[in-house]
Structure formats: structure tokens, C-alpha cells
Amino acid sequence: MDLIYLSIVLILIYLINPLKNEEKLLTTPFLSISYIIFLSYVMSVLGISLIKIYYIIPLIFLLIISLKRISFRTIKLNKISVFFVISISMLAVFEGYIIFPENPLNKTDTQYHSYKSHAIIEEKSLFYTTSEIPYVNYVKYPSGFHSLVYFISNQVNDIPDAFNFLMYFMLALMVTGFYLVGESIKSGLGYFTAPFVMAGSVFYGIIYVLYPNYLAYSLFLISVFFLIKYLKLRNTTYLYLFSFVLISMIYTHPFPVLMLILFILSITIFEISNKNYNLIKNYFIFASVPALTSLLLISKKMSKDIVSYSKSSNVLSEPVNIIIHNIFAGFGIFYLFTKHPVYTVALDNGFTFLISLFFTYLFIIGLYSIFKHKMYSLILFPVLLLFILINSEFIHISIPFFNTMYASNRMMYNVQIIMPIFYGFGVYSILNTLKKRTLRLGFILLTSLVIFSSAYMNYQIIPDYLKEQYVLSEADLNAFEWINLNNISNETFLNFGEDAGQFLPIYTSNKPVFYYSKFSSGDFSIGNNTIYELAKFIDGNDQYNYTKVCKMNNIKYIYVSGVLGELCSDFFKDMAYFKILYGKDNVYIVEVI
């Protein structure tokens, strides 16, 4: 993994960033990733290879143009706010360190994003041309996150480290984003919004492999910051930056973009009541122009897909009790964790219930205070988000793009992600009503205790819940290393479903028969046979027909992951049909004779 180019981009973006003081410093990471995403798309559309030095040249040109207005003497950082953001970010990163798996590819869903990143690194283009399955199935997915993976990776086997870095980087972005949004709403509020990142669903969402979703959430937060700052100061610099980030958000994930549309709608309703028509016209122009530009840029390559996506509807049929549970969990009322519509495992317990009661109290106080301060658009925004869920689940009015927001748990992530604003406003308002210093200090300590208790519950619950879904172990990594050391390449390995074998293309120069997208599409075939027939051959100790299927499909090697190796290693010990090349910790690499 190579962070040198990213560091250069951060420095150059900081120098040309038109904002001042701590805003200049804290917005630079968001503008930097937006720049990388935007330029990756521009170069890919124009057929220019994603050579990393090309990202630096335009910034140097812009720096030369901007040299006259750059002055380090006028920089006045609020050291307290910068230190606060860094401290909370470090705490969030530490929490991520104890929660996230050591290997980010442990989750089978990461196969999707790692394969897409693999193809981009190989061809140096977001619109790679390989027709090989499954890579061809992934090219249409927004590539914002994957362009960052490419930018900090030197080669394919850097992908796991790149994922790891970006997981922690996103935590820091979320903390910074909530601080800035809080400060834009009310001076001093950022100190109360940012810490709630440690108590929220961010860790669950990231570990659940919603990487593009949460990267786009961070871009959503900085977009809200720019928009609110414009509404308060009427400084169009914030609108230009808002437009720039919006383009990259569109290229990263659609759900936060739809959230931003609802946020703009909530502001517009309020501004219409105040007859601020010129203000509305300005931010509508700065929102619609980049949106249209981003779509026009990729129209030749993806116009049909965009139209098809806008008309699609992926809403799952869910029990009403699950929907109600997820609505409450979205707001932190009674529950902290949403439920999957299929895997309806209850993650909450008595302790999380007590924590949720405190969050519910803060949410109610926050709502009341926001209403009292006549910030009606902030109240209308979650109402609109809730309406989208209710419409999708019960009313079924066709709304282009919004009907793609499937499942109540995914839709309520959109509500959970903004809850730190309401919780923080609740704490801020309560502290302002407490006159005695001891009471104020006591409430700050109580709030801190609840936040750290919630973080501890994240640590207690999330890893244990997801461990059963982990597919990649240290033993598998050792086996991959053995494959590389013994120069086995360009081979197709027979593996057994969504197991560690599906990550062979990331760690080695080989590919598996089965992988996530193949299974998720209902394809269990291997030639004219299926994985179920192979399982029957193993159960029946039928090595002859098993190897016959392998030879018919030109398969020379078999990858047996730990779980299966523990159950059926004896099957592969028949030397008339197999030769065990590697066997350690129940992981086997078998050659078909």
C-alpha cells in the first residue's frame, strides 16, 4: 500500500482550499477524496489510464495560479477544536481497532468490492473492459470507493490493506463531518455531535461491508456543512465546494445522494415560507448543475443503466414487527441495532435498552430545542426519510430512484447516520439550562459514560455476531502464501461455495469456481454439474465421479478451507485420485491426479 500520493494530494488540496483557518484544515480530507474520485471518472471516460502522477499535475497547476492569495501568516487555527476533532477521531479509530476483524476480507461481501478493485488495478480504468465473470457484473456499480482503493494500492494484493486503511479513514471523516455540521448549525454544537459517532451504528455499517455507502455518508455530511454555511453567510464559495463534493458523492453511492435531495427539499419548504426565493434559486442551480454534469459525463457508458436503476424497485417483503423495530432502532428508541429482514437476530439486550432510554431522552430534548430555535428544516428532514420507508413498505407510490432503497434496516441506516445531530443538540440544550457548574459537569460525565458504554456494547456485540460469517482465517492466508511461493498461477481452483477460496484472485494469480455473486444469483453449477452433486460424491466417498467432474472442467487443483477440511479431509487422502500438496490447520491444497 502506498500513501505517498494521497499525502501529496492532501497537502496540495490544503494549499488551494479557499476556506480559512480550521475550516480549511478540516474540510481538506473531504475535498481530497472528492478530487480523486472525480478525476478518476474523468480520466476513465476519456480513456486515459489512471496513472497516479496525473492526479498531481492539475493540482500543481492550480497551486501556481493560486500562489498570490496563499498566505501562511493569516492562518489562525482554533487549537482547541482541532485537538478535539483529532482526539475523538483517535478514540473512534481505537474503537474500530478493537471491533473490526484483523483482515477486512473476512466478510464474504467484501468479495464484491475486492474483485471490482482488482479489475480497476489491473486495467487502470474504472470502466474496465474484461468480459470475464464475475468482474463484468461489477463494472456498473459506482466506483467512488474503489477509485480510492486503486489510488492507495500498488498491486492487487494491497487491496486488503487499502480496505483496512479506508475503514479507519472513514471513521475520522465521520467524526470530522459531524463536528463541522454541528458547528455550522450552532457555534459550539460540534463538540457535542462528534462524540456520538463512537456510540452509533457507523462501526456496524462499516464492518457489514457497506464501504461505499458510508464513504458517501461522510460526503453527505460535508455537503450539509457547505450548504448550511452558505445559507447563513451567503458566501458562494461554500456552494462551489458543495457542487464539487456532490459530483463525487453521486459516483460513490446513491442512497446518501437521495438523503441530500430530501435535506434540500426540507430546507426549500422552510425557505419558501420565508420567501427567500433568490436563495433557493442559487442552491438549486449549484445542486442541479453538478448532478446533471456527473450523469452526462458517464451517459455514453451507463445511460441505459441509470434509467433502468431509476425505475427499479428492490423493496423486500418484511414482517411488520421487523419494520417497527427498525424504525425505533433508527431513532435510538428502545433499540440500538436494526434487524435484517431475513436474518432476524436480536442484537439488543437489557444493557442496550438502558442506553437507548438515555438516547431517547436526548432525542426528545434535541427535537424540542431545534423546534424552539425555529430550525424546522432539521425536524422535517428525518420525517421525510421516514416517509420514504413508509411509502416503500406500505403505500407504494412510485418515486424514481427512491424505490431502490430496499429493506427497512438499510433505510433506517439513513436515519441512524444523522442521529448524532439530534443527540448532540439535546446535550447542548440541557447543559445550557443547568446553572450550577457541578450539575453541568455531572451531566457531561453521565453523557460520556453512556457514550463509552454504547461503544463497549458495540465491542461486545458486533464482533461475536459477525464471527460466524467470517470466511477467511490466518490458515487460509498461509495457504495462499504457499501457492505463491510454489508458483501456482493462472489456474482455476475448485472451492466450496462462499468460502475462503473465493479470495484466491486477491492473494494469488488464480481464480475459484464459486464466489459470492455466482451464489447470490442462484448459480451453483460447475459445468453440467452442481455443487450439491459434488457434496453427494463426498458423502458417498465417490472419488471417481468427483475427479471426473474436475477433469471435464479442466480443474487441476482443489482448495479445501478450514471448516470443510475438518469434516472431509479423509476423502482427499485417496492417493489413487488425489495428491495433497499442502495441509495445515485443516486447510488443504489438493491436486487432481
Side-chain angles (χ1 to χ4, degrees):
M1 189 175 70
D2 184 1
L3 298 179
I4 294 176
Y5 281 100
L6 178 61
S7 301
I8 294 172
V9 168
L10 285 166
I11 293 169
L12 292 175
I13 290 287
Y14 174 78
L15 292 174
I16 63 176
N17 188 338
L19 300 181
K20 297 178 181 180
N21 305 327
E22 62 267 16
E23 282 188 2
K24 181 183 182 79
L25 177 65
L26 297 178
T27 58
T28 290
F30 300 93
L31 296 176
S32 297
I33 63 174
S34 297
Y35 170 77
I36 293 168
I37 293 168
F38 173 68
L39 197 60
S40 296
Y41 264 92
V42 171
M43 289 196 291
S44 295
V45 168
L46 296 177
I48 301 172
S49 291
L50 300 180
I51 307 300
K52 292 177 184 178
I53 194 64
Y54 292 169
Y55 292 82
I56 308 300
I57 295 172
L59 293 178
I60 294 175
F61 177 74
L62 290 173
L63 178 62
I64 293 171
I65 294 175
S66 308
L67 276 177
K68 289 184 179 180
R69 68 171 183 79
I70 296 175
S71 175
F72 293 101
R73 294 179 182 178
T74 58
I75 296 176
K76 297 179 181 179
L77 291 179
N78 183 332
K79 294 179 181 178
I80 295 176
S81 64
V82 173
F83 176 77
F84 174 80
V85 171
I86 293 173
S87 299
I88 299 300
S89 295
M90 290 177 66
L91 287 172
V93 167
F94 175 74
E95 184 180 348
Y97 176 77
I98 62 176
I99 290 175
F100 295 156
E102 184 176 348
N103 190 325
L105 300 193
N106 257 331
K107 281 279 295 168
T108 188
D109 286 6
T110 52
Q111 182 268 324
Y112 187 105
H113 299 301
S114 59
Y115 271 43
K116 182 174 175 68
S117 301
H118 177 287
I120 292 171
I121 292 170
E122 288 290 313
E123 296 195 23
K124 290 182 169 55
S125 174
L126 302 185
F127 299 106
Y128 51 84
T129 58
T130 180
S131 58
E132 185 179 349
I133 296 175
Y135 301 99
V136 68
N137 300 331
Y138 305 153
V139 70
K140 298 174 183 178
Y141 189 90
S143 302
F145 173 81
H146 312 88
S147 62
L148 294 179
V149 173
Y150 163 79
F151 194 70
I152 61 176
S153 300
N154 287 324
Q155 51 196 356
V156 171
N157 58 17
D158 283 337
I159 289 174
D161 290 335
F163 278 17
N164 245 341
F165 172 80
L166 290 174
M167 287 164 68
Y168 295 112
F169 190 56
M170 281 189 280
L171 291 176
L173 289 175
M174 297 297 287
V175 170
T176 308
F178 275 114
Y179 172 79
L180 288 170
V181 170
E183 287 298 301
S184 67
I185 295 171
K186 201 169 187 63
S187 179
L189 181 59
Y191 293 103
F192 302 100
T193 53
F196 280 97
V197 171
M198 295 187 293
S201 63
V202 175
F203 301 89
Y204 182 75
I206 291 176
I207 201 175
Y208 214 75
V209 201
L210 304 178
Y211 299 151
N213 208 159
Y214 276 80
L215 179 63
Y217 278 147
S218 69
L219 296 178
F220 163 80
L221 289 174
I222 201 65
S223 298
V224 169
F225 165 74
F226 288 140
L227 196 52
I228 294 176
K229 291 292 286 187
Y230 168 71
L231 294 173
K232 287 192 171 185
L233 302 178
R234 305 298 197 267
N235 184 345
T236 54
T237 299
Y238 291 104
L239 278 185
Y240 282 107
L241 295 176
F242 165 80
S243 297
F244 181 61
V245 172
L246 176 56
I247 293 175
S248 298
M249 195 196 315
I250 290 171
Y251 290 149
T252 304
H253 200 281
F255 289 2
V257 177
L258 300 178
M259 286 178 64
L260 187 61
I261 291 172
L262 294 179
F263 182 72
I264 292 173
L265 178 60
S266 65
I267 290 174
T268 303
I269 292 171
F270 176 67
E271 295 298 342
I272 287 175
S273 66
N274 290 332
K275 299 181 179 180
N276 291 326
Y277 302 120
N278 192 54
L279 196 71
I280 296 170
K281 180 197 72 174
N282 288 343
Y283 67 69
F284 256 86
I285 290 172
F286 278 87
S288 57
V289 169
L292 291 172
T293 301
S294 63
L295 295 177
L296 286 172
L297 183 64
I298 60 174
S299 60
K300 285 188 177 181
K301 295 183 179 292
M302 299 186 66
S303 58
K304 292 182 180 179
D305 302 297
I306 294 170
V307 173
S308 175
Y309 181 80
S310 70
K311 296 178 179 179
S312 63
S313 178
N314 299 320
V315 178
L316 300 176
S317 177
E318 302 177 64
V320 174
N321 65 306
I322 297 297
I323 296 171
I324 294 173
H325 173 103
N326 288 338
I327 289 174
F328 280 131
F331 292 100
I333 301 172
F334 305 139
Y335 308 105
L336 298 183
F337 297 96
T338 58
K339 282 187 177 182
H340 192 280
V342 178
Y343 311 108
T344 53
V345 179
L347 298 182
D348 285 284
N349 54 37
F351 199 59
T352 62
F353 174 73
L354 292 176
I355 293 171
S356 73
L357 291 181
F358 187 75
F359 287 167
T360 303
Y361 171 65
L362 293 181
F363 177 59
I364 293 171
I365 298 297
L367 273 179
Y368 173 75
S369 301
I370 290 169
F371 184 82
K372 189 177 178 181
H373 285 85
K374 298 182 180 180
M375 300 178 184
Y376 305 121
S377 58
L378 286 178
I379 297 175
L380 182 58
F381 179 41
V383 172
L384 291 175
L385 287 171
L386 187 58
F387 168 75
I388 293 299
L389 184 149
I390 294 171
N391 175 64
S392 298
E393 297 286 356
F394 304 110
I395 305 174
H396 307 302
I397 298 172
S398 180
I399 307 175
F401 291 106
F402 283 91
N403 290 338
T404 61
M405 299 177 76
Y406 64 93
S408 62
N409 66 320
R410 287 298 298 270
M411 284 188 270
M412 291 315 292
Y413 287 160
N414 300 334
V415 174
Q416 283 182 329
I417 206 67
I418 63 170
M419 280 300 101
I421 298 171
F422 294 88
Y423 299 155
F425 216 115
V427 175
Y428 179 87
S429 301
I430 291 168
L431 288 176
N432 282 336
T433 61
L434 298 175
K435 304 301 180 183
K436 292 185 178 180
R437 185 179 178 182
T438 52
L439 290 177
R440 290 163 62 89
L441 181 60
F443 189 75
I444 290 173
L445 291 174
L446 175 62
T447 303
S448 300
L449 177 63
V450 173
I451 288 174
F452 284 113
S453 296
S454 184
Y456 180 73
M457 293 312 298
N458 278 339
Y459 165 70
Q460 285 286 306
I461 293 171
I462 296 173
D464 284 343
Y465 168 60
L466 292 176
K467 274 179 183 176
E468 295 181 2
Q469 303 174 37
Y470 291 168
V471 295
L472 198 61
S473 66
E474 188 67 29
D476 294 302
L477 296 180
N478 292 334
F480 294 154
E481 185 178 2
W482 183 90
I483 291 172
N484 291 328
L485 290 173
N486 287 270
N487 298 317
I488 300 176
S489 60
N490 301 316
E491 297 283 353
T492 298
F493 278 69
L494 175 59
N495 61 319
F496 299 88
E498 297 177 45
D499 60 357
Q502 66 184 322
F503 292 102
L504 280 162
I506 308 303
Y507 291 97
T508 75
S509 299
N510 302 283
K511 59 183 180 180
V513 171
F514 297 108
Y515 40 83
Y516 170 72
S517 64
K518 186 171 183 176
F519 259 47
S520 62
S521 66
D523 184 358
F524 310 107
S525 65
I526 170 173
N528 295 322
N529 300 90
T530 67
I531 193 170
Y532 301 112
E533 291 176 83
L534 292 176
K536 288 181 180 179
F537 294 150
I538 293 175
D539 290 340
N541 209 36
D542 188 351
Q543 286 90 350
Y544 171 77
N545 279 312
Y546 189 95
T547 53
K548 182 180 178 181
V549 172
C550 292
K551 292 174 181 178
M552 287 172 60
N553 291 279
N554 298 314
I555 293 171
K556 187 178 179 182
Y557 298 100
I558 302 167
Y559 187 88
V560 186
S561 59
V563 175
L564 193 63
E566 187 177 354
L567 299 174
C568 62
S569 59
D570 289 342
F571 178 82
F572 297 103
K573 291 178 180 178
D574 191 327
M575 297 178 65
Y577 297 95
F578 305 108
K579 181 181 180 182
I580 296 178
L581 302 177
Y582 174 93
K584 190 176 181 181
D585 297 325
N586 293 319
V587 175
Y588 296 90
I589 297 168
V590 182
E591 183 178 8
V592 178
I593 298 176

